[in-house]
Amino acid sequence: MKIPLDNSYNPRKTFYFLIALVGIILMVFEIHIYRKTIIKTTIPISIIFTVGLIAFFFDRKNYNKTYSISGFFFPLGQNIISWGFITCYLFMATNYYLSDKNNTVYNFTIKGKSSLAGSRGNRSHTKPVVTVDYFGFDKELVFTYPDTKKIEEADSVTIKIRKGFFGFDVLNEYDVIEK
């Protein structure tokens, strides 16, 4: 007796979906780590695209066979979203979580102030943002809504920095110095 096989299930499609989902979720966490790391934007972007491009060359044929397509747009996007995002998160998380335990305290003058929109349903609860010149590098520090009044009156910031595993500084704590 032969058992009919259902050819509609393809484990590769499930794999591609799950790995892209993991990449997107880890990228959300990476953004939170990025806000606490002093690093040029070009470095994480370079990691994402370099790893995604390398993975694309190894995986293009399998992806095209799995989805019965030709071309490079979808397999390139898949590899950037999955492997590029995952690698970038691992890089940023390693630098952040394996950073040195010693803090160095710096004071900086506030260069500019702005705000980010609040979450859905609380758009009026904006998050104040302070920009400082961190040794020739503009770094934005995001505060919470209740700190808005304190931020408006401040003219400088105190920052506690740790040295990250890969040498990129990590913000341990920061607060404004009121006039």
Side-chain angles (χ1 to χ4, degrees), residues 110 113-116 118 123-130 142-154 175-176 178:
I110 294 174
K113 298 177 186 177
S114 60
S115 62
L116 293 174
R123 295 286 184 214
S124 62
H125 289 232
T126 59
K127 294 180 181 179
V129 178
V130 169
V142 181
F143 291 85
T144 60
Y145 175 72
D147 294 330
T148 302
K149 187 75 172 166
K150 185 170 72 168
I151 301 299
E152 290 173 356
E153 298 173 359
D175 200 6
V176 292
E178 299 180 44

Side-chain angles (χ1 to χ4, degrees), residues 35-36 38 139 141 159-161 170-174:
R35 285 186 176 173
K36 294 182 177 189
I38 299 173
K139 181 63 182 171
L141 307 172
I159 302 175
K160 289 183 181 178
I161 300 291
V170 174
L171 298 170
N172 194 26
E173 294 178 32
Y174 54 89

Side-chain angles (χ1 to χ4, degrees), residues 108-112 130-134 137-141 156-157 159:
F108 294 100
T109 304
I110 294 174
K111 186 177 175 180
V130 169
T131 305
V132 296
D133 181 11
Y134 184 81
F137 180 77
D138 284 349
K139 181 63 182 171
E140 292 182 340
L141 307 172
S156 58
V157 178
I159 302 175

Side-chain angles (χ1 to χ4, degrees), residues 60-149:
R60 180 179 178 190
K61 289 180 183 177
N62 283 331
Y63 187 89
N64 287 347
K65 269 195 279 186
T66 301
Y67 289 101
S68 301
I69 62 169
S70 62
F72 69 93
F73 181 75
F74 290 112
L76 180 61
Q78 168 71 35
N79 285 293
I80 287 172
I81 289 170
S82 56
W83 303 116
F85 285 5
I86 291 169
T87 305
C88 185
Y89 170 78
L90 292 174
F91 173 80
M92 295 294 286
T94 302
N95 184 68
Y96 181 78
Y97 292 114
L98 298 179
S99 63
D100 190 18
K101 301 300 178 202
N102 300 329
N103 289 323
T104 307
V105 179
Y106 296 105
N107 291 325
F108 294 100
T109 304
I110 294 174
K111 186 177 175 180
K113 298 177 186 177
S114 60
S115 62
L116 293 174
S119 61
R120 179 180 271 167
N122 289 321
R123 295 286 184 214
S124 62
H125 289 232
T126 59
K127 294 180 181 179
V129 178
V130 169
T131 305
V132 296
D133 181 11
Y134 184 81
F135 304 111
F137 180 77
D138 284 349
K139 181 63 182 171
E140 292 182 340
L141 307 172
V142 181
F143 291 85
T144 60
Y145 175 72
D147 294 330
T148 302
K149 187 75 172 166

Side-chain angles (χ1 to χ4, degrees), residues 1 3 10 13 15 25-26 33 58 60 83 111 115 118 123 138 150 161 163 174:
M1 173 180 211
I3 300 174
N10 186 339
K13 287 183 180 181
F15 173 76
I25 291 169
L26 288 179
I33 294 172
F58 286 107
R60 180 179 178 190
W83 303 116
K111 186 177 175 180
S115 62
R123 295 286 184 214
D138 284 349
K150 185 170 72 168
I161 300 291
K163 190 58 88 177
Y174 54 89

Side-chain angles (χ1 to χ4, degrees), residues 5-36:
L5 296 175
D6 183 11
N7 291 335
S8 64
Y9 175 72
N10 186 339
R12 283 193 209 171
K13 287 183 180 181
T14 304
F15 173 76
Y16 283 123
F17 172 76
L18 290 177
I19 203 74
L21 185 64
V22 167
I24 291 169
I25 291 169
L26 288 179
M27 196 60 186
V28 171
F29 291 123
E30 188 274 331
I31 290 169
H32 293 291
I33 294 172
Y34 173 78
R35 285 186 176 173
K36 294 182 177 189

